[in-house]
Amino acid sequence: MSVTSATPTPDAPITLCAPPRVICADGARHRLAPLCKSLGWREALVVTDAWFHTNSPALAEVLAALRAQGIAVRVFDGGEPDPSTTLADRATAWVRDQGAQPDHLIAWGGGSNIDLAKALSVTLPSGRPVAELLNRANWPAAPLPLVAVPTTAGTGSEITPGAILVQPGSATKVALMANVLRPVVALIDPELTWTCPPRVTADAGLDALTHAIESWLTLDAALFDNGDDPDPGYSGRNEVTVQFARQATALAFAHLDTAFERPNDRAARNAMARASLYAAMSYATAGLNAVHGLAYALAGLTHASHGSTNAVMLPYVMDALVDTRRDELAEIARLAGASGDDIEALARQAPVLTRALVRRLGLAGDLLSFGVEAAQLHQLVSDGLAVTRLAKAWPGGPVDEAYARIVQHAYHGELSGESRP
């Protein structure tokens, strides 16, 4: 298989899709209420969870500021980890039963709360169940505008065009997907991440690193199959997305350890907020592939956190792409601290160094340690391949064969960079 360059060719198509407003600064939350007023909004639905509604002084302050600006506020605090289509439908019914008619939504919390808010932005105007709105973008009414305020540095959902939901009875997650689902405002305040416990910091940070590396290695825009969609949510990597991915990768390798070990380190927290943002600016256009496809399947089997399922798969997907993305992986190894002139050796070290970071942060580095049984591996491959929107973006040869090899190596903890002299 031929080796590609570290950057797509200069004449490759360039697309970059992002929210109209991206604000990233310490204290940015204080701009939220006056910004909503300046946009002419009058009634907010705040989507969060019970912990934030009860325990977050920052959220209480923002709610008071919204009301002081003359904006009516209603709070739905039923957010859950890995929100389901059932939860979205229940929340839609609750809001409509309240007689509320919000003209915008504000999502406060991690990616789960933001994804739930995105789903509600689609379901509230029509009252239709989520299941009727999947796999389409020509919804009965335009989504309500959304302001996304993440409290973790990792998911990037404040940038993306998708709402990822669990569908009861399905082995993998489903998605509402369209560019109109991107929040109108992505408001990133690194100070909100200071209360994240170390495990959440690790999960979120490795999610950001996965977004950066996976979108850096994914299929080129010139080869990406968009069908006949004139406005695809994801369209393959290009030279602009690669720049964001590179910077995000550098920041994560340099600062994630510190953010995990010293939660009050302002520089590390700010760096990881930017790493998450830059990674999202990459993957929210370029898209993802095998790591997330297999991670969704792994979550279906284990119900483990998204960051941990990504983290355990990432090194083995990287290793499977050494022949296809050698130069990129060599550069990733250098960003992780490796040195030397042997490009092949550097490329094979990138997965090894990535797994070392995963293990330093206390997460499993192989599927056996993760608790997966050998008898489940076939199902893991099958469920991963069923996420076709990700499988079709695999850049490294026949996807069914690649997924099978990746899962086997991940189960046994085998990386080629460790077996070579």
Side-chain angles (χ1 to χ4, degrees):
M1 184 177 296
S2 62
V3 176
T4 65
S5 63
T7 303
T9 57
D11 60 348
I14 293 178
T15 302
L16 187 68
C17 297
R21 296 168 185 81
V22 177
I23 302 166
C24 181
D26 279 341
R29 63 191 182 277
H30 301 302
R31 297 172 59 177
L32 177 57
L35 177 58
C36 290
K37 181 179 181 181
S38 74
L39 291 170
W41 295 332
R42 297 176 178 273
E43 185 171 347
L45 173 67
V46 177
V47 180
T48 188
D49 56 57
W51 189 93
F52 280 112
H53 197 192
T54 303
N55 298 293
S56 172
L59 177 56
E61 184 179 3
V62 165
L63 296 178
L66 287 164
R67 294 181 174 115
Q69 292 284 353
I71 298 172
V73 178
R74 193 177 302 269
V75 179
F76 178 80
D77 66 358
E80 300 174 354
D82 294 319
S84 66
T85 55
T86 303
L87 173 61
D89 291 341
R90 187 168 72 245
T92 300
W94 180 86
V95 175
R96 291 172 71 87
D97 288 347
Q98 296 286 314
Q101 294 183 319
D103 55 14
H104 69 293
L105 287 80
I106 299 170
W108 186 285
S112 294
N113 289 348
I114 297 173
D115 280 357
L116 176 60
K118 288 180 181 177
L120 295 182
S121 77
V122 176
T123 59
L124 284 174
S126 67
R128 302 274 291 278
V130 171
E132 295 182 10
L133 305 173
L134 297 171
N135 304 315
R136 57 187 289 188
N138 56 332
W139 294 310
L144 293 170
L146 170 64
V147 179
V149 186
T151 58
T152 62
T155 73
S157 187
E158 68 275 9
I159 305 293
T160 68
I164 309 300
L165 304 169
V166 173
Q167 187 170 37
S170 173
T172 58
K173 297 181 179 181
V174 296
L176 291 166
M177 189 76 64
N179 279 321
V180 292
L181 266 185
R182 295 181 195 268
V184 173
V185 180
L187 193 148
I188 300 144
D189 186 339
E191 291 179 352
L192 297 177
T193 69
W194 282 42
T195 57
C196 287
R199 177 58 187 267
V200 174
T201 297
D203 265 38
L206 289 169
D207 196 17
L209 180 62
T210 300
H211 293 151
I213 292 177
E214 192 176 8
S215 63
W216 190 350
L217 304 180
T218 201
L219 200 63
D220 287 345
L223 302 175
F224 200 89
D225 178 14
N226 289 318
D228 57 358
D229 189 348
D231 187 27
Y234 299 109
S235 54
R237 69 173 191 164
N238 61 62
E239 59 187 291
V240 176
T241 67
V242 165
Q243 295 303 317
F244 281 115
R246 181 183 288 111
Q247 183 64 11
T249 302
L251 287 168
F253 275 122
H255 296 282
L256 181 50
D257 278 309
T258 303
F260 175 73
E261 294 169 0
R262 301 200 298 273
N264 293 327
D265 189 302
R266 180 181 293 271
R269 288 294 194 183
N270 281 338
M272 286 309 302
R274 283 163 171 74
S276 176
L277 170 60
Y278 298 154
M281 291 294 289
S282 174
Y283 94 86
T285 291
L288 302 166
N289 52 76
V291 182
H292 272 70
L294 291 167
Y296 289 151
L298 181 58
L301 290 175
T302 64
H303 305 291
S305 68
H306 182 59
S308 67
T309 56
N310 273 337
V312 73
M313 298 308 311
L314 175 60
Y316 304 97
V317 172
M318 294 167 67
D319 207 39
L321 288 171
V322 166
D323 290 335
T324 307
R325 296 284 187 255
R326 185 193 64 186
D327 292 353
E328 292 91 333
L329 286 162
E331 189 170 354
I332 290 168
R334 290 192 178 99
L335 294 175
S339 59
D341 298 322
D342 186 333
I343 300 300
E344 176 84 9
L346 283 169
R348 295 187 185 279
Q349 274 302 296
V352 176
L353 294 169
T354 301
R355 188 176 64 183
L357 173 61
V358 170
R359 287 175 169 167
R360 285 200 304 275
L361 298 178
L363 276 69
D366 58 80
L367 290 177
L368 185 60
S369 301
F370 207 89
V372 175
E373 298 177 3
Q376 295 176 301
L377 298 184
H378 177 76
Q379 186 67 42
L380 182 57
V381 173
S382 176
D383 290 346
L385 290 169
V387 189
T388 55
R389 62 185 173 84
L390 298 176
K392 74 175 187 178
W394 175 249
V399 65
D400 52 345
E401 297 175 10
Y403 275 35
R405 287 195 303 271
I406 290 166
V407 166
Q408 284 292 330
H409 291 313
Y411 181 75
H412 295 288
E414 297 170 345
L415 293 173
S416 63
E418 291 185 326
S419 62
R420 295 167 66 88

